[in-house]
Each structure stands twice: as C-alpha cells, then as structure tokens.
Amino acid sequence: MDSVPLWGIIVIGVLIVIAVIAGVVLLRQFQNRTALETLQQRQRQLADRPLAAQVAKLAQTTLSGESLQSFHKWQHQYTRLTQEQFPKAAAQLHAAATANDGYNVVQARQHIVAVTELITDEERTAQDIAEALDKIADVAHQNQEAKQAAQERYKQLRKTILVQSFSFGSAITALQSTLTAINEAFQQVDVLASNGDHIQARTALADITKQLDQLEKAVTDIPPRVNELTNIFPGQLEELVAGYHRLRTTGYRFFDINIPQELTKLDDDIHAAEALLRKEDVPGLQAANKALAANIDHLYDVMQKEMDAKEAVEKLRNALPAFLTHASVQNKTLQDEVRHLDESYVLTNDEVQTTAHFGRQIAEAQERFTQDEQKIHDQEAVFTLVHEDLTKINAQLAEIEKKQVAIDKDLSGLRTGEEIARQNLARFMMEYRETRREMLQQNLPGLPKSYREFAEIVRQEIGKLDHDLNQVKINLEDITKQLIMTQEDLKTLKQRSADLIDAAALTQEILQYANALKQDNETVAKASVSATQIFNTTYDYPQALDTIATAVEAAEPGAYQRIEAVYKERKGKL
C-alpha cells in the first residue's frame, strides 16, 4: 500500500482540529443556551411576583410618620427594581443569547455570569420588599391585638389598685399616677393609629407593656412591704423598746452595742422606707425592708442571748462554789502528799511545782468568780460575758481535777512500786546465790573467765539495787530501769550456768566412753588428750565437748546422740 503524502497528513490533522473546535463550540453553545433558559425562567418568576399589587394597596392606605417613611423607602426600591434592574437584566439576557447564537460562546458566557449576579440581587431585593410591605400591612393588625391585650391587663391592675387601695399605703398616689400615665399612652396610640403611623404606634405599645410590667410587679411586691411597715415593724419596734426598758430595770447590761441608739435608728429607717414607698421605689423599698428585718432580728437575738446567758449563769453560780471548794481541798491534800513523798522518793515529773501551780490557778479562779458575783450584785454584769468567764472557770477546774487525780494515782503507786522492787531484789539475791551454789556443787576444776566476769557484773547490779533501795530518797524510775536490766542479765547468767554444767557433764561421760575406743583409734586418743587439757586448764567445757564428741562420732556414728539422750533423760528425772 502506497504511503500517504505529507500534505495529506497535514490536511487530515487540520480537519481533526477543526472538528474538535467545532465540537467544543457546539457543547459550550448548548450549555449557554441551557443556562439562559434557566435565567429567563427566574426573571419571569420575578416579574410575576405580586409586588405591584402590594405597593398599590398600601399607596391607597392612610399612612403617616414612620409607617409612611418606611413605605416610601420600599416603594422607591420597587421602582428601582422594575425600572432599572429588570430592563438591565433583559438587555444582558438578549446580548448573551445573540452572542451564543453567533457562536461567540466566550462572550455569551461572560454575559451569563453578569446577568446571574444581577438576577440574584433582584431576587434578594424583591424578597426584602415583599417582607417589608407585609410587615407594614400587618403592623396595624398586630397593634390592635397588642392594644386589646394591654388594655385587658390595664383594667385588671386598675381594679386591683382601686379595690385594695388600703394595702398599698402611701404608694397609692404614685400607683394612680402611673394608671393615668398609661391611660394617656393608650390615647396617644389611638391618635398614631388613626393617622396611619402604625410603626410609631407599635413602639408606643411596647412602652405601655413595659409600664404594665413594672406596675404589675409593684402591685405584687408592695402590699407585703406595706404590711411590714404598717403592722409588723412598728409592733416589733414597740416590743423591743418595752423589752429593753424591762431588762434594763431588772439589772441587764449589754456589751459592745448601744441599744437606745439602735432603736432610734430603726425608727428612722422605718420612716425612710415609707418615703421610698410613697415614691413607688419598689427595689429600694425591698432592700430597706430586708435591712430593717435583719436589724430587728439582731436586736431580738442580742436581748435573747442575755436572757439565756443569765439563766445559764444562775446554774453555774449555784454549782461553782462547791466545785471551787472541792478543787481547793483536793489541791491542799495533794500538795501535802507530794511534799511528804518528796522526802522519801525522787519525783521526776515536777509534781511539787505542778501542784503548787494548780493551787495558784484555783485561787485565781476563785478571785474571778468573786469579781463576777460582785458585778451581778451591783447590776453591772453583762451576762453573756459572765457566762463565758464562768464557763471557762468551770472547764479549768475540771481540767485541774483531771490532772490532780492522775498525779494522785501515779503517786499512790510509789510505795507499791518500792515494795515490788524490794521483793524483786530479794528474789534476785536468792536466784544468784542458788546459781552460784549449783555451780560450786559441780566440783568443776574452774570456770571460764568470761563467765566469771559476767557473774561479777550481775552481782554488782544486784548490789547497786540494794544500795539504791536503801537511800533516804528513792528514785523509783531509775530503780525500775535497773530491775528490768538486772532481771535480763540474771536470766542470761542462769542459762550460761546451765550450759556450762551440761557441757562439763557430757564431756566427762564421753571421755569415759572414749577410753574404750582410743586403744584402737589414734584420732580418738588425741582428741581425748586435747579435750582433757581444755577441760582442766582453760575450763572451756563447750570446746572440750565439741573436741571429743567430734572424734567419737567419727569413730562410731550415733554414739554422741545416744550419750546425750541418756544424759538428758537422767537429768529430767532429778
């Protein structure tokens, strides 16, 4: 097959490019046509909206003031929309269609973008116009409903104020003035409505609603405050004045408060609250009454505390003299006992100084009690302060008694402790002698040096105990420590003595047993000689036992255990 010439390939390439371009142009043309149809549909929908009818209807309605100003604003927006924006959008749509039909798809697309923004803005403006015109048209109807509701509230509040005028006290004048102002505001609303200024009428109705809210709150809040100012507070003030004079004449005094001055201030505060009532200052009145109630309660509390304190003081006055006498007698007895024991014992807890200090505290308490009694007698006592002082005295005496009983208990154990110490000393001496005698009875060649030194230590400890217990003043605390140490050391000495006795006895028995073995066993023979030498020279009986026992056990396994078992059995029968 002949090859295609170069010019043929070029022609084919050009045709392909033209076909592609033509396809793209046709596709863009189709897309533009579709977009234009959609935009034309949106433009027709805008033209079909009943904005013209809304404008014409409101134009025939009597409007004035803010309502008329608002209508003119949105009427102007409607005119601009229909006379400027609509024709401009139509021109853009026509230009876009013309360019698209002429296959100028790029220019057509530019027109489409521009007209899309324009129509979107038209739709937004048309919606704003429609909502604003509807609002203007609805305001009159809404105002009428709001006015009827407000007038109904006004009638109910007026009825309540007139029927219950007595419950509002001096605030009735201000409340009636408020009613008059609200009624005049209703008349102004009627004037605005008849002139067509419905928006301003709505604002006026909103103001009336706020006034009704405030009036309703006043009608609810004022009667309880009036009752407080008219009936409760004056009665309480009168009761406080009478109560104060009655308490004063019966000997009551008060600390850190000038009650006559406080009563005068209460009367002034009541008058000040009445002034707030006349001005219909509900928040101020509520705050003033709250403060009045708190101050009145405080004065009641002050007087009641004094009366309660007096009752408590009377109980303490009846009980404290006997308590003071008891504490004084107890202290004197304890001091005598402490001084007596101090002659025979070393007192380690400053009992002499402590009991003397208690005596001074009791005397001071007696003096304070006497001073409080004098104040009561002279009718100069503040019972809350006296009660506080007597309570402290009572607690102080109770604490002193508790400590004195503890000291007496500790001291009562001194003589018993001395007797127990002497009994223990006697027992230690006897056990030491028995241990020493038992060791002598063994007829041992001697005793190890360490044992003899330890036995001497125990002997000296027992001797020191005997010496300290025979002093003019005995230190039982120190003696108690010595008793504990000596008892432990004596126990150790007895155990070491028993160990030495057992080791010596077993050594002798195994040496006798070894006599039969050493003729044929050189190791046993050497061990026998070595153990005998240790036994008789250094007196280390446990080492001697270990030396011979090890050799015998090696020569005859089990021999040592048998000898030891027989020894323990025999010893147990003794």
Side-chain angles (χ1 to χ4, degrees):
M1 182 177 178
D2 295 336
S3 60
V4 179
L6 178 61
W7 62 267
I9 295 173
I10 293 172
V11 169
I12 293 170
V14 170
L15 292 174
I16 292 172
V17 170
I18 292 171
V20 170
I21 293 172
V24 170
V25 169
L26 291 174
L27 176 62
R28 295 301 184 195
Q29 186 184 43
F30 174 77
Q31 292 174 336
N32 289 343
R33 187 178 298 114
T34 302
L36 283 169
E37 290 175 357
T38 300
L39 290 171
Q40 289 167 350
Q41 177 66 25
R42 288 171 62 184
Q43 184 69 13
R44 284 194 295 273
Q45 290 174 350
L46 275 173
D48 292 342
R49 292 193 68 156
L51 290 178
Q54 284 181 280
V55 172
K57 182 178 179 181
L58 282 176
Q60 296 174 0
T61 304
T62 302
L63 298 174
S64 67
E66 290 186 22
S67 297
L68 183 60
Q69 292 175 6
S70 179
F71 172 71
H72 283 162
K73 170 186 173 182
W74 293 107
Q75 186 183 41
H76 175 70
Q77 290 289 336
Y78 171 74
T79 300
R80 179 172 172 274
L81 175 69
T82 56
Q83 294 183 6
E84 294 181 13
Q85 291 181 282
F86 279 6
K88 185 176 180 181
Q92 288 277 12
L93 286 170
H94 177 72
T98 301
N100 196 53
D101 291 342
Y103 301 103
N104 193 350
V105 293
V106 175
Q107 185 179 12
R109 187 61 190 169
Q110 292 173 347
H111 286 302
I112 289 171
V113 170
V115 78
T116 299
E117 293 179 359
L118 182 60
I119 291 175
T120 300
D121 184 58
E122 288 177 351
E123 291 170 338
R124 185 165 49 248
T125 301
Q127 182 64 28
D128 291 343
I129 293 170
E131 290 177 356
L133 295 178
D134 287 342
K135 186 176 181 180
I136 293 172
D138 290 342
V139 166
H141 178 68
Q142 293 171 355
N143 284 354
Q144 185 63 29
E145 291 181 347
K147 178 186 173 184
Q148 290 176 356
Q151 285 181 327
E152 184 61 31
R153 288 182 66 193
Y154 171 80
K155 290 177 184 178
Q156 291 297 326
L157 288 171
R158 183 173 181 277
K159 179 180 178 182
T160 300
I161 292 170
L162 293 176
V163 172
Q164 301 178 15
S165 59
F166 64 91
S167 67
F168 299 102
S170 58
I172 188 65
T173 302
L175 293 174
Q176 290 173 339
S177 297
T178 302
L179 286 172
T180 300
I182 293 174
N183 187 52
E184 291 174 354
F186 276 125
Q187 294 174 4
Q188 181 63 26
V189 169
D190 290 340
V191 171
L192 291 170
S194 63
N195 291 335
D197 192 354
H198 302 297
I199 293 179
Q200 189 61 35
R202 181 178 62 184
T203 302
L205 281 170
D207 292 338
I208 289 174
T209 300
K210 292 180 181 177
Q211 288 180 292
L212 289 171
D213 290 341
Q214 294 172 354
L215 181 61
E216 189 172 40
K217 180 172 176 55
V219 168
T220 301
D221 294 342
I222 287 177
R225 307 292 82 80
V226 170
N227 182 51
E228 290 171 344
L229 289 175
T230 306
N231 301 314
I232 297 176
F233 292 160
Q236 290 177 328
L237 179 58
E238 183 179 349
E239 185 179 39
L240 284 171
V241 171
Y244 172 71
H245 288 301
R246 184 171 61 254
L247 293 176
R248 199 71 182 82
T249 55
T250 53
Y252 283 87
R253 296 293 181 269
F254 299 90
F255 173 73
D256 200 27
I257 184 171
N258 188 328
I259 291 185
Q261 182 177 324
E262 292 295 325
L263 292 172
T264 300
K265 184 177 183 301
L266 279 178
D267 188 54
D268 293 341
D269 290 344
I270 290 174
H271 290 308
E274 289 173 345
L276 294 171
L277 175 63
R278 286 192 294 273
K279 292 188 295 183
E280 197 190 343
D281 184 357
V282 176
L285 177 62
Q286 288 178 321
N289 278 23
K290 184 177 180 180
L292 272 165
N295 292 334
I296 288 172
D297 288 343
H298 175 62
L299 287 180
Y300 272 117
D301 288 342
V302 169
M303 295 184 188
Q304 187 62 48
K305 284 179 180 178
E306 283 301 317
M307 290 188 287
D308 293 343
K310 182 179 181 182
E311 183 178 347
V313 164
E314 291 302 321
K315 293 180 181 179
L316 286 169
R317 289 177 69 196
N318 292 331
L320 274 177
F323 201 175
L324 283 163
T325 300
H326 166 73
S328 181
V329 171
Q330 183 190 50
N331 179 259
K332 185 179 183 307
T333 302
L334 184 60
Q335 285 199 58
D336 291 342
E337 177 67 11
V338 168
R339 282 193 292 269
H340 175 70
L341 291 172
D342 189 49
E343 296 174 356
S344 301
Y345 299 96
V346 175
L347 304 181
T348 57
N349 294 315
D350 295 327
E351 286 85 353
V352 175
Q353 292 81 0
T354 301
T355 52
H357 177 65
F358 288 158
R360 290 191 295 273
Q361 286 185 318
I362 293 169
E364 291 170 1
Q366 178 65 64
E367 178 62 24
R368 285 161 53 197
F369 177 76
T370 301
Q371 292 173 358
D372 288 334
E373 281 286 293
Q374 188 63 46
K375 290 178 184 177
I376 295 172
H377 180 268
D378 297 340
Q379 293 192 342
E380 292 297 331
V382 178
F383 286 109
T384 49
L385 299 181
V386 172
H387 177 252
E388 182 180 350
D389 190 40
L390 296 186
T391 300
K392 289 180 179 178
I393 291 173
N394 190 66
Q396 185 181 33
L397 293 177
E399 184 65 20
I400 289 173
E401 180 178 38
K402 177 182 175 182
K403 291 179 178 178
Q404 291 193 148
V405 168
I407 291 173
D408 183 64
K409 182 179 179 181
D410 290 341
L411 294 178
S412 65
L414 289 177
R415 298 194 185 281
T416 302
E418 179 186 358
E419 181 61 29
I420 292 173
R422 293 188 182 280
Q423 290 175 2
N424 278 304
L425 174 61
R427 179 170 61 84
F428 293 166
M429 288 180 172
M430 181 185 68
E431 291 181 0
Y432 180 79
R433 286 195 296 269
E434 288 179 352
T435 300
R436 181 178 176 81
R437 185 171 57 253
E438 186 177 6
M439 291 300 294
L440 291 174
Q441 289 174 350
Q442 302 304 313
N443 294 317
L444 297 173
L447 294 172
K449 180 181 179 182
S450 60
Y451 173 84
R452 285 185 280 110
E453 289 175 347
F454 187 72
E456 178 60 21
I457 290 173
V458 175
R459 185 192 69 77
Q460 290 176 2
E461 289 175 352
I462 294 172
K464 187 175 188 307
L465 267 174
D466 183 47
H467 173 270
D468 291 350
L469 277 169
N470 286 291
Q471 296 302 303
V472 176
K473 291 183 70 171
I474 300 173
N475 188 335
L476 273 181
E477 183 176 335
D478 182 60
I479 287 173
T480 300
K481 295 177 182 177
Q482 291 185 53
L483 284 171
I484 295 171
M485 181 179 66
T486 304
Q487 179 170 280
E488 288 299 316
D489 288 348
L490 182 58
K491 180 180 177 182
T492 301
L493 178 63
K494 289 166 68 176
Q495 183 61 49
R496 290 178 65 175
S497 297
D499 292 342
L500 283 176
I501 292 171
D502 289 342
L506 279 170
T507 300
Q508 291 173 333
E509 290 193 14
I510 295 179
L511 281 172
Q512 291 178 4
Y513 188 83
N515 288 333
L517 299 174
K518 64 183 181 180
Q519 300 298 329
D520 299 323
N521 192 311
E522 185 178 351
T523 301
V524 173
K526 289 181 179 180
S528 180
V529 172
S530 178
T532 300
Q533 183 181 7
I534 293 170
F535 189 92
N536 291 318
T537 56
T538 62
Y539 318 124
D540 190 347
Y541 306 120
Q543 184 181 1
L545 175 60
D546 183 65
T547 300
I548 188 60
T550 301
V552 169
E553 187 66 20
E556 187 178 323
Y560 172 72
Q561 285 79 6
R562 290 196 304 272
I563 294 169
E564 184 182 33
V566 171
Y567 169 77
K568 288 182 178 180
E569 182 180 1
R570 183 172 66 251
K571 184 179 178 181
K573 293 179 179 179
L574 295 178

